[in-house]
Amino acid sequence: MRQIAARTGLRVAHTSPTFAIFVNEACRCLEVDAEWVVVGTLFHRHGPARPIAQFSDGERTTLSREGSAALLQSYWGGYLAVRVRPTDIEVLRDPSAALPCYRAQCRNGFLFASDVASLVAAGGKMDGIAWDALGRALYASGLPTDETALDGIGVLLPGGAVTLQGEGEHSAVAWSPWTFVEAPTEQPSKTIERLRRSIDHCITAWSSLCQRPLVSLSGGLDSSIVAACLAGAHRNASCITMYTDDPAGDERRFAQAICRQFGLPLSERRYDLDAVDLGRPLGGHLPYPIGRAEAQPYEKAHAEVAADLGSDAFFSGNGGDNVFAFSQSAAALADRALHEGPGAGAFATLRDICRHTGAGPLRVTRAALRIARQPSGYRWKPSLGFLHPELVASLHGLAFSHPWLAAPPGALPGKAAHIAGLLRAHRNLESDRSRIAHLVNPLLSQPILELCLSIPTWQWRDGGRDRAAARTAFADRIPAEILTRRVKGTPDPFCGEIVRRKREELRERLLDGQLSKHGILDRGAVEEALRPDRPTTGEENVRLLELVNAEAWITAWASLPRGSVPAAGSSDFG
């Protein structure tokens, strides 16, 4: 144990005959008993908005008697729980994805860690890039899985548990979103008030861990709600907003409105093309490539502003669209008709969708009928863009599996899409910023997830608005110009600028890179897209910048000595 502590720079927080816990100085280690420990940040479900320092005797007794179910029911946060049972060891990760959890095998057993560097330093086996897994990841369009693009490194999925017994193991779902999908039993006004209280409580609780949070303001609803709650908690927050030269990506007036409302200081930073280095990966310390090259100026600006202000945490509205069931499809009408049958309620939802999307009633009704007639569950679609035809053919028919995608019989299609949206948020929750200070995505907190899952999809479209329940919950706190806006800005024009200005470098890196050499990239399709006289589409720009970031990630890992990894990121909360 002393050797692991010395190699990782962590301290021994707990030992037992079967496992040991190593943490940094900021990470909490809460003991239920000698054989059950919770590592990370834990809050009471209905208690004060501050982290738990230790369990009371009564709490220990209840947890010992009722097991992990009591942990998931009475607490929330970002944590990993390790519990020795009579015949095995259970390792449980919380549902919010707030604390990363990578895993590997070592000479004497199993290792779990919040970053790959610590995992390998502790003796975890890592054998370089797993090319097949990397190809599957680029094909799978962001679906989280328990594999990474590094051979020997796995992931414990949020809400998942693994049971270790001897040299064998068994995975299980400890928390399922489908548990919280229920028919409405209370007036929408009461649900909305509970949503408001839950969001306020979770954001206040997370903010109790820092002194000077920096909030990323996009100008949209979700980040505005986060800023409003931080202002209400009096956490000395500051804000930053990014803008592009193209008006489509300039959200400054909306960010200024929320900051005026609450007296929050605002830093405005431009997406700077000079900050884009196609040879440097985002998430180079992670076991798989994430994001796209156009995010480099975003990460750089946040790091600089945080250093100038002395910020000790980054807060974002990440996942808000996913949690608040943003949709422009007719699924809400299909859900309501399937649940209630045709009638006044379904007609009201039809009217809401038409008002929201601008589509005519016949078109919306036909779309809803198609959705309602499809089998239960969500069909995850692959990303085929610029992938080699042989790779695509080999993966055709690949079953996209994740425990949360396993819809029960009779599941409503709109709710299945809502849950799939939660998964889309998971893969990009870590960032380069997380190596400087902790990145908090409070809207993905477990209490908020569970409450939002219980709200029918049609209530999220009420009044012809997207995320209607969240808009209503904060109607008296968010400026009207944000609350009522129907179009959100996008940095996508900046993606086009990068591709135009760096076209030749993109060609060189992708056509002569490792993705091409390993049969993952379709060289012909890339050559055609990047012809000097051919304009690229927005979809092509996004995919090209994703692929060139993956190429940079490969170069970063392949250039390291065998058994080495990039330096571990710092984490203030665990």
Side-chain angles (χ1 to χ4, degrees):
M1 283 190 294
R2 288 194 299 271
Q3 288 181 336
I4 292 178
R7 291 199 300 263
T8 61
L10 304 173
R11 66 178 177 86
V12 180
H14 179 91
T15 60
S16 82
T18 49
F19 71 91
I21 303 291
F22 300 82
V23 300
N24 63 16
E25 293 304 318
C27 185
R28 293 164 179 79
C29 183
L30 306 173
E31 296 182 358
V32 178
D33 55 44
E35 301 288 0
W36 190 2
V37 175
V38 179
V39 186
T41 303
L42 200 66
F43 304 99
H44 285 108
R45 176 74 67 133
H46 303 294
R50 59 175 180 269
I52 297 171
Q54 63 181 17
F55 293 115
S56 68
D57 290 342
E59 289 169 337
R60 291 191 183 96
T61 299
T62 300
L63 288 167
S64 296
R65 182 179 65 248
E66 299 181 11
S68 298
L71 183 65
L72 289 164
Q73 183 176 2
S74 300
Y75 306 89
W76 66 276
Y79 63 85
L80 192 74
V82 183
R83 179 167 64 119
V84 178
R85 300 186 295 198
T87 60
D88 56 44
I89 300 175
E90 179 191 61
V91 182
L92 165 71
R93 185 182 177 194
D94 91 273
S96 71
L99 183 65
C101 184
Y102 303 110
R103 54 172 307 195
Q105 288 188 296
C106 63
R107 184 166 55 88
N108 297 320
F110 301 89
L111 293 170
F112 298 83
S114 59
D115 62 81
V116 179
S118 297
L119 199 65
V120 175
K125 298 176 182 177
M126 191 270 288
D127 296 320
I129 295 171
W131 293 102
D132 288 347
L134 178 58
R136 285 192 293 271
L138 292 171
Y139 177 83
S141 190
L143 177 67
T145 68
D146 59 6
E147 68 177 2
T148 73
L150 294 178
D151 195 12
I153 306 298
V155 178
L156 180 56
L157 295 171
V162 60
T163 299
L164 308 175
Q165 189 174 33
E167 296 183 358
E169 62 178 71
H170 172 72
S171 297
V173 180
W175 183 95
S176 169
W178 292 103
T179 303
F180 306 95
V181 176
E182 302 174 352
T185 58
E186 66 179 2
Q187 292 295 320
S189 59
K190 292 184 178 180
T191 303
I192 286 169
E193 178 55 32
R194 287 199 296 128
L195 179 62
R196 176 187 175 115
R197 291 199 307 267
S198 181
I199 294 172
D200 244 332
H201 177 79
C202 290
I203 293 175
T204 301
W206 281 118
S207 70
S208 70
L209 299 164
C210 58
Q211 299 296 320
R212 296 184 62 85
L214 179 63
V215 188
S216 302
L217 280 183
S218 67
L221 176 70
D222 308 325
S223 59
S224 296
I225 288 175
V226 173
C229 292
L230 285 172
H234 306 291
R235 296 302 190 201
N236 198 25
S238 299
C239 301
I240 177 175
T241 191
M242 302 290 296
Y243 66 93
T244 66
D245 292 334
D246 190 296
D250 190 345
E251 301 278 271
R252 284 178 288 179
R253 71 182 183 93
F254 298 105
Q256 291 163 2
I258 194 73
C259 288
R260 281 196 306 270
Q261 178 104 341
F262 296 105
L264 299 174
L266 176 66
S267 298
E268 301 174 0
R269 291 297 183 96
R270 175 178 168 271
Y271 276 93
D272 183 6
L273 186 65
D274 291 338
V276 177
D277 179 356
L278 298 183
R280 180 172 61 84
L282 286 167
H285 59 297
L286 299 176
Y288 37 63
I290 63 163
R292 304 186 298 265
E294 86 277 3
Q296 289 183 15
Y298 184 96
E299 296 291 324
K300 181 174 183 287
H302 279 68
E304 290 173 349
V305 171
D308 290 343
L309 298 177
S311 302
D312 55 356
F314 297 103
F315 275 68
S316 85
N318 285 351
D321 283 352
N322 316 71
V323 176
F324 299 150
F326 178 85
S327 173
Q328 291 185 311
S329 80
L333 176 57
D335 281 9
R336 193 160 195 180
L338 288 168
H339 178 68
E340 298 178 356
F347 181 78
T349 298
L350 170 62
R351 185 180 60 231
D352 288 339
I353 295 173
C354 291
R355 181 180 172 186
H356 175 212
T357 63
L362 184 59
R363 180 183 174 188
V364 172
T365 301
R366 286 174 174 169
L369 285 172
R370 286 195 300 270
I371 293 170
R373 289 168 180 162
Q374 293 173 354
S376 295
Y378 182 84
R379 286 158 295 284
W380 198 277
K381 296 180 180 178
S383 293
L384 307 182
F386 301 113
L387 296 185
H388 197 285
E390 291 184 7
L391 173 65
V392 172
S394 70
L395 295 176
H396 180 71
L398 175 69
F400 289 120
S401 63
H402 186 285
W404 294 7
L405 293 179
L412 296 177
K415 190 54 68 174
H418 185 183
I419 290 170
L422 299 179
L423 294 177
R424 293 189 185 280
H426 283 176
R427 202 58 181 265
N428 294 310
L429 294 181
E430 296 178 78
S431 69
D432 288 353
R433 279 170 292 156
S434 63
R435 309 179 81 181
I436 301 167
H438 196 65
L439 173 59
V440 184
N441 304 292
L443 298 181
L444 288 166
S445 299
Q446 183 184 342
I448 301 174
L449 288 179
E450 293 174 356
L451 180 52
C452 289
L453 286 164
S454 73
I455 298 175
T457 54
W458 56 88
Q459 288 184 15
W460 290 109
R461 309 294 289 277
D462 185 57
R465 304 169 297 166
D466 63 82
R467 298 165 287 173
R471 292 182 191 275
T472 303
F474 286 86
D476 61 343
R477 294 169 66 179
I478 303 298
E481 56 261 55
I482 296 173
L483 199 69
T484 59
R485 66 182 303 203
R486 301 175 67 88
V487 179
K488 187 176 180 179
T490 173
D492 285 357
F494 184 60
C495 298
E497 182 183 0
I498 296 171
V499 172
R500 287 192 301 273
R501 299 278 294 275
K502 295 179 177 287
R503 185 180 296 260
E504 288 305 313
E505 185 181 355
L506 271 169
R507 283 174 54 87
E508 180 181 345
R509 290 187 178 278
L510 291 177
L511 296 179
D512 299 333
Q514 294 298 313
L515 289 173
S516 177
K517 291 178 181 177
H518 284 82
I520 294 174
L521 199 68
D522 184 347
R523 296 183 83 258
V526 173
E527 281 189 298
E528 169 61 24
L530 292 175
R531 279 194 293 107
D533 58 342
R534 181 186 180 279
T536 50
T537 67
E539 184 178 354
E540 288 173 335
N541 292 335
V542 166
R543 183 63 158 176
L544 288 166
L545 295 179
E546 177 187 14
L547 291 171
V548 80
N549 186 68
E551 189 69 52
W553 178 89
I554 293 167
T555 301
W557 281 92
S559 64
L560 293 169
R562 187 173 180 83
S564 299
V565 300
S570 66
S571 174
D572 293 334
F573 303 158

